Amino acid sequence: MRPALPGRAGGRPRSRSATLTPTARVLRLRRRISLLFALTSAVGLIAMAVLAVRSDSGRWREQLDHTMDADTSWALGLLETDEEGRLVLDVLADSVDTACPPLTVLLADGDDRGALRVEHAPAKPCLTVSRAVVLEAGRAAVRADGVRAFDGRTTDGGPVRVFAQPFYAPEAADDEGPQGVLVTVADATAQRDDHRRLVWLVTGGCAVLVLLSAAVGHVLSGRAVRPALAALDRQEAFLADAAHDLRTPAASLRTLAETALRGETDSADVHRRTLRLAEGMGRLVDGLLTRARLMSGTAAVARQPLRLDQLVEAVVDEAPTEGHRVRVEAEEAVVVADPELVRRAVGNLLDNALAHGHAPGVPADVLITVGRDGVLTVEDAGPGLPPEVAGALFERFRSGSGSTGLGLSIASWVAHAHGGTLTTGPGERGERGEHGGARFVLRLPVSG
């Protein structure tokens, strides 16, 4: 039998993505979106930069060519011929020997159309170009039978633009080649420097814009995946709540079942305890689901006018208050709220007072008051709230009394969802001192 290779389970390779957590996969997706955004921006910016650089390169060459074309056209007007049709360069030579840009006259040498010789060259040119460059420019113009222009270098290595324009004899036949070529050069140092500065400016601007687009893409991708991360956080919080809250009743139920199997407990007592555990687990699961819906926003808040005093009396009538004392002092109050959510919040506050608002073995004494201003107060006669717990009482797992804290957390969320508040503090003792434990105040907006 062949042993399994390392990194394989059942002979199959494990995917790296299978080992990532959902949050890690979402973050990896964010990085990929940011990279794709940056690459897309970079491609567009680079394409635009290339077009801009090429356009500028052609523009300054066209400007120089236009200037040199005007110079050679003017020089062509200075060419003369004698009575025998021979070219006379005296006027041209007198005019261009001291001019800049320099002008060189090439004449066709014999029947070979590609053979040229220098007929006239400036004595002291402002730009010195090798004779080979001048002749090559002339030959290119002859071969093309038209104007030719290209980049070149002076003997000192400076950049120039070389321009060659052929000219023809006055009575030349159509099939005859040019009689000669006028070659001129122009200094391109300033244009080259301006073009180089433009290239650096465009390159630096593209780099800055790519970095900026990468930062913007990172921010936008973060906003795009934020709902997914929030949903994952809510899912993990719900699973943590469920695991935390169901662990104790599940263990108690298992212990009770093991005790019943050993015959150490009366069956009727086992049934009663099992029923209490099942009811507690049912309320716990219901609270977890309600909290999950509230936190995810799937539980919509249906606001409508509501008689808060009547709702409180109905909640008290339905609550299991046997053995406890619950009093209601209510004035007629109309609030704008969701009846189901407010019912759950009031029920959670009452359940909290009945469960924790009294000493062990002593019945609870709870006073509920409702004011016309939409303020509901639940006050018990228990031991009160420790100062270190009061600040975080409405957070999950922070009830401070061994419970889950989901009930108060849900009540607080219901209050804030309606634009109200839920606060707590020490109770106010009555004239006979029957109260003095914890006091919860729920404020809801009243109907206008």
Side-chain angles (χ1 to χ4, degrees):
M1 179 178 180
R2 298 177 60 185
L5 295 177
R8 295 173 176 261
R12 294 183 178 180
R14 295 182 60 187
S15 173
R16 182 177 181 271
S17 60
T19 62
L20 297 176
T21 63
T23 300
R25 286 199 290 268
V26 172
L27 293 176
R28 185 179 64 177
L29 176 62
R30 179 189 181 184
R31 291 191 294 269
R32 290 181 176 179
I33 293 175
S34 302
L35 180 61
L36 180 61
F37 190 87
L39 288 177
T40 303
S41 302
V43 170
L45 289 172
I46 291 174
M48 294 179 61
V50 170
L51 290 176
V53 170
R54 293 186 63 180
S55 176
D56 182 74
S57 177
R59 179 187 57 80
W60 70 261
R61 287 179 170 84
E62 288 178 0
Q63 290 178 349
L64 288 180
D65 293 347
H66 179 74
T67 301
M68 290 187 291
D69 181 59
D71 292 338
T72 54
S73 298
W74 169 79
L76 286 175
L78 301 179
L79 293 177
E80 297 178 352
T81 56
D82 57 13
E83 296 177 354
E84 298 179 359
R86 291 176 299 182
L87 193 63
V88 179
L89 302 177
D90 295 339
V91 177
L92 177 64
D94 294 339
S95 302
V96 302
D97 273 348
T98 58
C100 193
L103 184 67
T104 302
V105 181
L106 304 179
L107 293 181
D109 189 7
D111 297 333
D112 187 0
R113 296 183 59 180
L116 298 174
R117 56 183 174 83
V118 177
E119 183 65 19
H120 172 79
K124 297 179 179 180
C126 57
L127 295 173
T128 304
V129 180
S130 66
R131 178 166 293 192
V133 172
V134 174
L135 291 175
E136 179 59 32
R139 296 189 190 99
V142 171
R143 288 194 297 269
D145 201 12
V147 175
R148 296 292 295 172
F150 57 89
D151 296 330
R153 293 283 179 178
T154 64
T155 55
D156 298 332
V160 293
R161 186 73 174 165
V162 183
F163 186 87
Q165 179 172 343
F167 60 89
Y168 301 83
E171 298 179 358
D174 294 339
D175 58 347
E176 291 185 11
Q179 185 179 8
V181 181
L182 294 179
V183 179
T184 185
V185 294
D187 188 7
T189 303
Q191 289 77 3
R192 285 276 188 175
D193 292 342
D194 291 341
H195 181 69
R196 187 176 294 108
R197 282 192 293 269
L198 175 66
V199 171
W200 281 109
L201 180 62
V202 170
T203 302
C206 285
V208 172
L209 291 177
V210 168
L211 293 177
L212 181 61
S213 69
V216 172
H218 187 69
V219 173
L220 293 179
S221 63
R223 294 175 65 89
V225 303
R226 189 177 300 168
L229 292 175
L232 289 174
D233 290 340
R234 289 193 295 267
Q235 178 183 354
E236 293 178 1
F238 175 77
L239 294 176
D241 290 347
H244 179 274
D245 297 335
L246 295 176
R247 185 180 294 111
T248 298
S252 300
L253 188 62
R254 178 176 179 177
T255 301
L256 184 60
E258 293 175 348
T259 303
L261 288 175
R262 292 195 299 266
E264 299 176 0
T265 306
D266 181 65
S267 59
D269 183 54
V270 170
H271 293 162
R272 285 192 298 271
R273 294 169 61 185
T274 302
L275 180 60
R276 286 197 301 271
L277 285 173
E279 291 176 348
M281 293 179 69
R283 290 193 297 271
L284 181 59
V285 171
D286 187 34
L288 287 170
L289 292 176
T290 300
R291 182 184 182 278
R293 293 191 185 100
L294 293 177
M295 296 300 103
S296 63
T298 56
V301 180
R303 293 179 174 86
Q304 63 185 50
L306 172 67
R307 284 284 300 272
L308 182 61
D309 55 314
Q310 295 179 356
L311 183 142
V312 170
E313 292 173 353
V315 171
V316 172
D317 291 339
E318 296 172 0
T321 60
E322 293 81 1
H324 302 290
R325 182 187 180 193
V326 179
R327 291 176 296 160
V328 179
E329 298 178 0
E331 298 178 323
E332 181 178 334
V334 180
V335 297
V336 180
D338 188 312
E340 292 300 323
L341 293 180
V342 174
R343 179 185 295 272
R344 179 169 290 278
V346 174
N348 289 346
L349 293 176
L350 179 57
D351 291 343
N352 179 76
L354 294 176
H356 310 295
H358 60 91
V362 178
D365 187 1
V366 182
L367 174 62
I368 302 178
T369 59
V370 179
R372 293 182 180 274
D373 55 354
V375 177
L376 167 71
T377 302
V378 180
E379 188 174 356
D380 59 55
L385 299 173
E388 65 274 7
V389 175
L393 191 63
F394 301 127
E395 299 177 8
R396 58 191 180 99
F397 306 145
R398 296 299 296 274
S399 68
S401 305
S403 65
T404 63
L406 281 176
L408 296 180
S409 174
I410 292 174
S412 177
W413 189 94
V414 171
H416 287 90
H418 289 84
T421 59
L422 177 61
T423 58
T424 184
E428 298 178 357
R429 293 185 176 274
E431 295 179 357
R432 298 186 302 274
E434 68 271 27
H435 295 288
R439 186 169 184 263
F440 293 87
V441 180
L442 174 64
R443 291 180 172 84
L444 295 173
V446 296
S447 176

